[in-house]
PDB file of all heavy atoms in Angstrom:
ATOM      1  N   TRP J 422     -15.795   3.945 -30.381  1.00  0.00           N
ATOM      2  CA  TRP J 422     -16.721   2.895 -30.754  1.00  0.00           C
ATOM      3  C   TRP J 422     -18.128   3.335 -30.389  1.00  0.00           C
ATOM      4  O   TRP J 422     -18.321   4.292 -29.664  1.00  0.00           O
ATOM      5  CB  TRP J 422     -16.353   1.563 -30.096  1.00  0.00           C
ATOM      6  CG  TRP J 422     -16.369   1.584 -28.595  1.00  0.00           C
ATOM      7  CD1 TRP J 422     -17.459   1.641 -27.793  1.00  0.00           C
ATOM      8  CD2 TRP J 422     -15.233   1.577 -27.736  1.00  0.00           C
ATOM      9  NE1 TRP J 422     -17.088   1.668 -26.492  1.00  0.00           N
ATOM     10  CE2 TRP J 422     -15.723   1.618 -26.418  1.00  0.00           C
ATOM     11  CE3 TRP J 422     -13.872   1.522 -27.928  1.00  0.00           C
ATOM     12  CZ2 TRP J 422     -14.890   1.611 -25.323  1.00  0.00           C
ATOM     13  CZ3 TRP J 422     -13.043   1.520 -26.826  1.00  0.00           C
ATOM     14  CH2 TRP J 422     -13.557   1.558 -25.549  1.00  0.00           C
ATOM     15  N   ARG J 423     -19.068   2.607 -30.895  1.00  0.00           N
ATOM     16  CA  ARG J 423     -20.469   2.934 -30.642  1.00  0.00           C
ATOM     17  C   ARG J 423     -20.852   2.464 -29.245  1.00  0.00           C
ATOM     18  O   ARG J 423     -20.602   1.325 -28.879  1.00  0.00           O
ATOM     19  CB  ARG J 423     -21.350   2.278 -31.699  1.00  0.00           C
ATOM     20  CG  ARG J 423     -22.785   2.656 -31.617  1.00  0.00           C
ATOM     21  CD  ARG J 423     -23.549   2.097 -32.823  1.00  0.00           C
ATOM     22  NE  ARG J 423     -24.942   2.385 -32.696  1.00  0.00           N
ATOM     23  CZ  ARG J 423     -25.495   3.531 -33.056  1.00  0.00           C
ATOM     24  NH1 ARG J 423     -24.759   4.476 -33.576  1.00  0.00           N
ATOM     25  NH2 ARG J 423     -26.785   3.732 -32.918  1.00  0.00           N
ATOM     26  N   VAL J 424     -21.444   3.364 -28.459  1.00  0.00           N
ATOM     27  CA  VAL J 424     -21.886   3.042 -27.104  1.00  0.00           C
ATOM     28  C   VAL J 424     -23.405   3.066 -27.106  1.00  0.00           C
ATOM     29  O   VAL J 424     -24.023   4.125 -27.224  1.00  0.00           O
ATOM     30  CB  VAL J 424     -21.327   4.058 -26.083  1.00  0.00           C
ATOM     31  CG1 VAL J 424     -21.863   3.765 -24.694  1.00  0.00           C
ATOM     32  CG2 VAL J 424     -19.817   4.032 -26.087  1.00  0.00           C
ATOM     33  N   ASP J 425     -24.000   1.874 -26.992  1.00  0.00           N
ATOM     34  CA  ASP J 425     -25.461   1.758 -27.031  1.00  0.00           C
ATOM     35  C   ASP J 425     -26.089   1.577 -25.657  1.00  0.00           C
ATOM     36  O   ASP J 425     -27.237   1.937 -25.443  1.00  0.00           O
ATOM     37  CB  ASP J 425     -25.861   0.572 -27.916  1.00  0.00           C
ATOM     38  CG  ASP J 425     -25.550   0.822 -29.380  1.00  0.00           C
ATOM     39  OD1 ASP J 425     -25.759   1.960 -29.842  1.00  0.00           O
ATOM     40  OD2 ASP J 425     -25.081  -0.118 -30.055  1.00  0.00           O
ATOM     41  N   ASP J 426     -25.347   0.998 -24.724  1.00  0.00           N
ATOM     42  CA  ASP J 426     -25.942   0.740 -23.415  1.00  0.00           C
ATOM     43  C   ASP J 426     -24.880   0.845 -22.320  1.00  0.00           C
ATOM     44  O   ASP J 426     -23.724   1.191 -22.582  1.00  0.00           O
ATOM     45  CB  ASP J 426     -26.618  -0.636 -23.389  1.00  0.00           C
ATOM     46  CG  ASP J 426     -25.674  -1.771 -23.775  1.00  0.00           C
ATOM     47  OD1 ASP J 426     -24.462  -1.523 -23.886  1.00  0.00           O
ATOM     48  OD2 ASP J 426     -26.162  -2.901 -23.960  1.00  0.00           O
ATOM     49  N   LEU J 427     -25.272   0.540 -21.108  1.00  0.00           N
ATOM     50  CA  LEU J 427     -24.385   0.684 -19.964  1.00  0.00           C
ATOM     51  C   LEU J 427     -23.176  -0.243 -20.053  1.00  0.00           C
ATOM     52  O   LEU J 427     -22.070   0.139 -19.647  1.00  0.00           O
ATOM     53  CB  LEU J 427     -25.159   0.431 -18.667  1.00  0.00           C
ATOM     54  CG  LEU J 427     -24.361   0.580 -17.367  1.00  0.00           C
ATOM     55  CD1 LEU J 427     -23.814   1.994 -17.232  1.00  0.00           C
ATOM     56  CD2 LEU J 427     -25.221   0.208 -16.175  1.00  0.00           C
ATOM     57  N   SER J 428     -23.346  -1.434 -20.582  1.00  0.00           N
ATOM     58  CA  SER J 428     -22.197  -2.351 -20.656  1.00  0.00           C
ATOM     59  C   SER J 428     -21.109  -1.786 -21.578  1.00  0.00           C
ATOM     60  O   SER J 428     -19.912  -1.909 -21.280  1.00  0.00           O
ATOM     61  CB  SER J 428     -22.635  -3.737 -21.122  1.00  0.00           C
ATOM     62  OG  SER J 428     -23.122  -3.682 -22.449  1.00  0.00           O
ATOM     63  N   ASP J 429     -21.503  -1.163 -22.682  1.00  0.00           N
ATOM     64  CA  ASP J 429     -20.509  -0.519 -23.552  1.00  0.00           C
ATOM     65  C   ASP J 429     -19.830   0.652 -22.827  1.00  0.00           C
ATOM     66  O   ASP J 429     -18.622   0.858 -22.958  1.00  0.00           O
ATOM     67  CB  ASP J 429     -21.168  -0.002 -24.836  1.00  0.00           C
ATOM     68  CG  ASP J 429     -21.692  -1.120 -25.717  1.00  0.00           C
ATOM     69  OD1 ASP J 429     -21.195  -2.258 -25.588  1.00  0.00           O
ATOM     70  OD2 ASP J 429     -22.594  -0.846 -26.537  1.00  0.00           O
ATOM     71  N   ALA J 430     -20.614   1.411 -22.078  1.00  0.00           N
ATOM     72  CA  ALA J 430     -20.045   2.535 -21.330  1.00  0.00           C
ATOM     73  C   ALA J 430     -19.084   2.049 -20.252  1.00  0.00           C
ATOM     74  O   ALA J 430     -18.075   2.705 -19.970  1.00  0.00           O
ATOM     75  CB  ALA J 430     -21.159   3.376 -20.713  1.00  0.00           C
ATOM     76  N   LEU J 431     -19.378   0.903 -19.657  1.00  0.00           N
ATOM     77  CA  LEU J 431     -18.467   0.352 -18.653  1.00  0.00           C
ATOM     78  C   LEU J 431     -17.130  -0.048 -19.270  1.00  0.00           C
ATOM     79  O   LEU J 431     -16.084   0.061 -18.625  1.00  0.00           O
ATOM     80  CB  LEU J 431     -19.123  -0.833 -17.939  1.00  0.00           C
ATOM     81  CG  LEU J 431     -20.254  -0.464 -16.987  1.00  0.00           C
ATOM     82  CD1 LEU J 431     -20.933  -1.709 -16.434  1.00  0.00           C
ATOM     83  CD2 LEU J 431     -19.753   0.419 -15.856  1.00  0.00           C
ATOM     84  N   TRP J 432     -17.141  -0.498 -20.516  1.00  0.00           N
ATOM     85  CA  TRP J 432     -15.875  -0.813 -21.190  1.00  0.00           C
ATOM     86  C   TRP J 432     -15.036   0.450 -21.401  1.00  0.00           C
ATOM     87  O   TRP J 432     -13.814   0.413 -21.299  1.00  0.00           O
ATOM     88  CB  TRP J 432     -16.111  -1.530 -22.520  1.00  0.00           C
ATOM     89  CG  TRP J 432     -16.410  -2.984 -22.321  1.00  0.00           C
ATOM     90  CD1 TRP J 432     -17.596  -3.616 -22.529  1.00  0.00           C
ATOM     91  CD2 TRP J 432     -15.509  -3.978 -21.847  1.00  0.00           C
ATOM     92  NE1 TRP J 432     -17.507  -4.951 -22.220  1.00  0.00           N
ATOM     93  CE2 TRP J 432     -16.218  -5.196 -21.791  1.00  0.00           C
ATOM     94  CE3 TRP J 432     -14.184  -3.972 -21.444  1.00  0.00           C
ATOM     95  CZ2 TRP J 432     -15.631  -6.383 -21.356  1.00  0.00           C
ATOM     96  CZ3 TRP J 432     -13.604  -5.159 -21.019  1.00  0.00           C
ATOM     97  CH2 TRP J 432     -14.333  -6.336 -20.981  1.00  0.00           C
ATOM     98  N   VAL J 433     -15.696   1.547 -21.668  1.00  0.00           N
ATOM     99  CA  VAL J 433     -14.973   2.820 -21.763  1.00  0.00           C
ATOM    100  C   VAL J 433     -14.400   3.170 -20.388  1.00  0.00           C
ATOM    101  O   VAL J 433     -13.262   3.662 -20.280  1.00  0.00           O
ATOM    102  CB  VAL J 433     -15.886   3.954 -22.290  1.00  0.00           C
ATOM    103  CG1 VAL J 433     -15.161   5.291 -22.279  1.00  0.00           C
ATOM    104  CG2 VAL J 433     -16.382   3.627 -23.682  1.00  0.00           C
TER     105      VAL J 433
END
Side-chain angles (χ1 to χ4, degrees):
W422 61 72
R423 186 173 176 84
V424 176
D425 291 320
D426 56 10
L427 181 60
S428 65
D429 294 337
L431 288 174
W432 281 111
V433 175

